[in-house]
Amino acid sequence: MKREDTLKRFFSNHRGLTLLEVLIAIAIASVLAIALYGGFFSVLRARRTIADELEAVNSATRFLDSISKEIQSVYFKDANKKTFFEGEKEELLGSTVSTVKFTAFMRLSASGDMPGGDLVAIRYSVEKDQSGALTLYRESWNPYLINENETGGIVKTAVMENIDSFDVSYLSGQGWAGAWDSLIEKTKPYAVKATISLKDTGKREYSIIARTMIQ
């Protein structure tokens, strides 16, 4: 067989792709690319959501640990008008939020029969921010030097943002109460329960119960 006949037969049996076949291949490749692209970014969004939820849970855990230590350090004496413990609840944007303020010794040191250290007034309250979300704030000041109604000398920081609720209850000798006033009770609560719910975690609640340790 001549060489020319062999080449003709080869190319006749191995023809190139038609335009239709090329278009079908491009369409299949596009579908696969879109599926891979969407799946990749879905994984990224899921990872980001999980990371945000974990950070929110860690923030809630740190906050509850901090307020638990402060509750354990609460100091109130009826004879000392600079000491107090007050708590109340209200409705804000359809959520139950608590405001609680108290005096506590942040650094304890024994001094005879009386506790020593730095007496600090602390207040936790919830406010609506500019975006309409609820933010939990912590304020602190020296009760001997500053009146809580003064604008200067009070340190105010945002503790938790985008919360759903902040609820505080107080244990008396007769059970749990939703409010407390040391001017009426003449004492501090035996224990405090603080519960916070975060929107970033599907409104799951996180709670602590802390005893007031200083007598």
Side-chain angles (χ1 to χ4, degrees), residues 64-121:
L64 292 174
D65 181 64
S66 176
I67 194 174
S68 175
K69 293 177 181 177
E70 292 171 346
I71 295 299
Q72 292 173 14
S73 301
V74 162
Y75 179 70
F76 171 78
K77 291 295 182 182
D78 189 38
N80 186 344
K81 301 306 178 183
K82 295 296 183 180
T83 64
F84 51 82
F85 196 112
E86 300 175 16
E88 59 183 2
K89 294 183 182 182
E90 63 174 330
E91 290 293 321
L92 184 61
L93 297 181
S95 299
T96 300
V97 295
S98 294
T99 297
V100 56
K101 63 178 182 178
F102 50 84
T103 45
F105 280 105
M106 300 309 297
R107 291 191 294 272
L108 296 177
S109 61
S111 177
D113 295 331
M114 295 296 292
D118 295 332
L119 186 67
V120 178

Side-chain angles (χ1 to χ4, degrees), residues 70 100-102 104 106 120-124 138-141:
E70 292 171 346
V100 56
K101 63 178 182 178
F102 50 84
M106 300 309 297
V120 178
I122 300 170
R123 174 170 54 208
Y124 286 97
R138 179 186 186 274
E139 298 169 90
S140 61
W141 65 95

Side-chain angles (χ1 to χ4, degrees), residues 1-10:
M1 184 180 292
K2 294 183 179 180
R3 184 169 179 271
E4 292 79 3
D5 294 335
T6 303
L7 291 175
K8 288 180 180 179
R9 180 174 296 180
F10 174 82

Side-chain angles (χ1 to χ4, degrees), residues 20-84:
L20 179 60
E21 290 171 334
V22 172
L23 292 176
I24 292 174
I26 292 174
I28 294 174
S30 300
V31 170
L32 292 175
I34 292 173
L36 291 173
Y37 181 87
F40 174 74
F41 282 95
S42 295
V43 171
L44 286 183
R45 286 193 296 269
R47 289 185 60 182
R48 191 179 302 114
T49 299
I50 292 173
D52 291 342
E53 289 187 1
L54 287 175
E55 178 58 30
V57 172
N58 289 336
S59 297
T61 301
R62 290 193 296 268
F63 160 68
L64 292 174
D65 181 64
S66 176
I67 194 174
S68 175
K69 293 177 181 177
E70 292 171 346
I71 295 299
Q72 292 173 14
S73 301
V74 162
Y75 179 70
F76 171 78
K77 291 295 182 182
D78 189 38
N80 186 344
K81 301 306 178 183
K82 295 296 183 180
T83 64
F84 51 82

